Amino acid sequence: MTKIEGKVEVRCTACGVAAEHQLVQLVHAQDTPAAHAQLLRGELNVSVCTCGKRSQLACELVYQDPQRGFLCHVCPGGEAAMRRAEELFDAAFSTSLHVMPAGPAGYGGAGDPGGVSGAASAATYPVQRIVPSVNALLEKVKILDAGLADWAVEMVKVLLLASISVDDDDRVMLFTGVETPAEGSASTARWLLFDRYGEVPTTLASPLAAVDRLVSTLGGAPTGTQRRIDRAWAIEAVRAMIASAN
């Protein structure tokens, strides 16, 4: 697999000094271990100025993990960028040909040295996601590493936020991992809940069994092609679940 990376000049917003920084736009869980490790450390596409200022570089990025059937497109740029990514997914995975249409790195097709190829790609990547940022991708990977379903985790977030009566439903809440204590104690899901400014996090824990119960209650993953599994989707999913139970 060819690496999709290069250099970009970034001007520091704190001191105004411009410098070159590495930009990676394709991460393969097995074939690009260095970039994958950077992602897990929260260092991927982060510029660090000599003055100490750290900035996340906003760029499109494709993440592939064929061993676990996961493909994710990071597309900063708002709703228009998310819709474009959705169209690219539809074009790439609806073809019955063995070469997918040209698209960004990682989709395959003409001019894509790092892509997945062939009609079997939809089977190779049954879980397809679109997210707005590298941080959102990192959370998806952590959920994957924990062996959990992201749709169930997002729904549990909504229920957990409602149960603790936070003063702002829009506050950012991120899954950080699973803690497995000594034998005889229940495992817990670990979370970071940020303040209303998205700056100061508070660590929270909840029973991991809540995620399993939700999956059992709903009988598995939602039907249809759901690529944008986020807070907005989860709120509607929880409402539908409550309505069907009444």
Side-chain angles (χ1 to χ4, degrees), residues 8-67:
V8 62
E9 184 175 88
V10 178
R11 187 171 298 278
C12 179
T13 57
C15 68
V17 171
E20 279 194 341
H21 296 276
Q22 184 183 43
L23 192 67
V24 176
Q25 291 188 276
L26 174 63
V27 177
H28 190 290
Q30 290 79 46
D31 292 350
T32 60
H36 188 252
Q38 279 188 306
L39 172 67
L40 295 179
R41 294 195 302 268
E43 299 173 356
L44 186 70
N45 293 341
V46 172
S47 69
V48 182
C49 183
T50 53
C51 74
K53 173 72 173 179
R54 294 171 58 90
S55 302
Q56 180 70 60
L57 304 179
C59 70
E60 290 196 55
L61 167 71
V62 172
Y63 178 90
Q64 298 178 352
D65 188 342
Q67 289 189 3

Side-chain angles (χ1 to χ4, degrees), residues 24-228:
V24 176
Q25 291 188 276
L26 174 63
V27 177
H28 190 290
Q30 290 79 46
D31 292 350
T32 60
H36 188 252
Q38 279 188 306
L39 172 67
L40 295 179
R41 294 195 302 268
E43 299 173 356
L44 186 70
N45 293 341
V46 172
S47 69
V48 182
C49 183
T50 53
C51 74
K53 173 72 173 179
R54 294 171 58 90
S55 302
Q56 180 70 60
L57 304 179
C59 70
E60 290 196 55
L61 167 71
V62 172
Y63 178 90
Q64 298 178 352
D65 188 342
Q67 289 189 3
R68 296 191 288 188
F70 180 73
L71 179 65
C72 187
H73 185 174
V74 178
C75 46
E79 184 61 27
M82 300 286 275
R83 285 198 302 269
R84 175 176 172 273
E86 192 78 53
E87 292 168 358
L88 287 168
F89 264 116
D90 287 339
F93 290 101
S94 64
T95 179
S96 60
L97 302 177
H98 286 285
V99 177
M100 293 194 292
Y107 280 88
D112 180 6
V116 292
S117 61
S121 297
T124 303
Y125 296 104
V127 180
Q128 304 164 16
R129 295 291 183 259
I130 300 171
V131 296
S133 68
V134 172
N135 284 338
L137 167 62
L138 176 56
E139 182 186 34
K140 296 289 186 189
V141 174
K142 287 181 177 180
I143 293 170
L144 200 64
D145 287 344
L148 303 175
D150 64 341
W151 59 268
V153 170
E154 290 294 340
M155 291 178 70
V156 167
K157 277 188 198 178
V158 172
L159 295 170
L160 187 57
L161 286 169
S163 70
I164 61 179
S165 302
V166 297
D167 55 0
D168 186 352
D169 288 342
D170 290 331
R171 286 170 60 182
V172 175
M173 186 175 190
L174 298 175
F175 173 86
T176 60
V178 171
E179 184 174 299
T180 304
E183 187 176 351
S185 299
S187 297
T188 58
R190 308 294 295 183
W191 315 86
L192 286 181
L193 177 62
F194 288 81
D195 65 9
R196 64 178 62 190
Y197 305 106
E199 297 174 353
V200 181
T202 300
T203 301
L204 299 176
S206 66
L208 183 61
V211 180
D212 296 330
R213 283 198 302 270
L214 187 59
V215 173
S216 177
T217 298
L218 296 180
T223 58
T225 303
Q226 301 289 346
R227 297 189 180 114
R228 295 170 64 171

